[in-house]
Amino acid sequence: MSMLRKAMGVAVLAGAAMLTTGGAEASAASGPTGTPTAADSAAIGQVTSGPATLGRLAKTKFPGARAAAAAQQAADPHTQVPVYEPTAAFVAGKSDVPAALAYVAVPARTGDGAAATVWAERQGPAWTVVNVASGDFERRYAQAAAGGYLLHEPQVNAWYAVHGDAVTVVDGSVTGLAAGTELSLADYRAALHERYADKLPGSAYDRDGAGGGYGGRERAVPAAEPGDVPALPFVIGGVLVLVAGAAAVPRLRRR
């Protein structure tokens, strides 16, 4: 195990021992916000299978992707994977709502047959396709989540399945936690607090611009293969943060 993985693993376990803020306790009664409704799912299906998205998939080419013979671009709007991310308020201990919807992933195929994922994001009252990424990681992670909601920690490119107040690691990336490791929701928030409390909006880190300040709509995406070193920079609560020592290996995507 590398020094970085050991350090991250120690930080996670140490942070899980105690949450030093005086905010609300994480509770099994609190689920994520922004869960798509039936109307949302219908709208996502329309936009991801519409001619604009199919045209985009037809033109998308990922470097190094292996083309399939006689392929045609397509999306599978019947398979929709909501992807949630921790909120700054949860990390700070100010809210017991653990996560908010980041985007909905729809498996797809490009015109040259490469596996892809279309990201649909709620923008105001409408749903918009904001990205076409390589691979079908969200679908595979959702299967591993076995009915729990899928939580992505983009800062370290870790993925979790959340069932009530149980958080199970699906892919721990550089956290040092193996897939299948289970934490309570309270312990997971303590780990988040240990990693990011000094980097939230309004912190000295943020005010000094150490990570570039506010990052707008930028978001790190999954690595090219599960378990790879995560992409950076990343955003939490709107603030851009860097993980020291991590190398940038971004997942291929087309905005």
Side-chain angles (χ1 to χ4, degrees), residues 21-225:
T21 63
E25 290 295 323
S27 169
S30 297
T33 62
T35 299
T37 64
D40 289 328
S41 295
I44 293 166
Q46 288 183 340
V47 71
T48 56
S49 63
T53 301
L54 294 180
R56 187 170 175 175
L57 287 167
K59 298 176 182 177
T60 296
K61 295 184 183 300
F62 299 116
R66 296 180 179 178
Q72 184 175 352
Q73 70 277 7
D76 178 14
H78 298 295
T79 303
Q80 299 183 10
V81 180
V83 177
Y84 299 89
E85 294 177 359
T87 66
F90 181 72
V91 174
K94 297 179 179 179
S95 171
D96 61 0
V97 177
L101 183 71
Y103 62 96
V104 175
V106 173
R109 187 175 61 248
T110 64
D112 61 3
T117 298
V118 175
W119 293 6
E121 189 175 274
R122 185 189 285 116
Q123 295 186 349
W127 286 88
T128 302
V129 171
V130 297
N131 190 30
V132 175
S134 62
D136 62 347
F137 302 104
E138 290 88 348
R139 179 186 63 79
R140 286 190 277 158
Y141 287 139
Q143 290 176 340
Y149 70 82
L150 191 61
L151 181 66
H152 182 215
E153 189 183 333
Q155 297 82 354
V156 290
N157 193 32
W159 293 80
Y160 307 86
V162 184
H163 300 78
D165 65 353
V167 180
T168 303
V169 177
V170 175
D171 180 358
S173 191
V174 298
T175 63
L177 297 179
T181 301
E182 186 172 306
L183 303 170
S184 70
L185 193 58
D187 284 349
Y188 176 61
R189 181 164 67 181
L192 290 175
H193 185 268
E194 177 76 13
R195 288 199 284 271
Y196 312 124
D198 61 347
K199 301 175 179 66
L200 294 174
S203 66
Y205 185 99
D206 171 33
R207 291 193 302 271
D208 292 344
Y214 284 87
R217 289 299 311 121
E218 295 181 29
R219 182 189 292 116
V221 296
E225 288 295 338

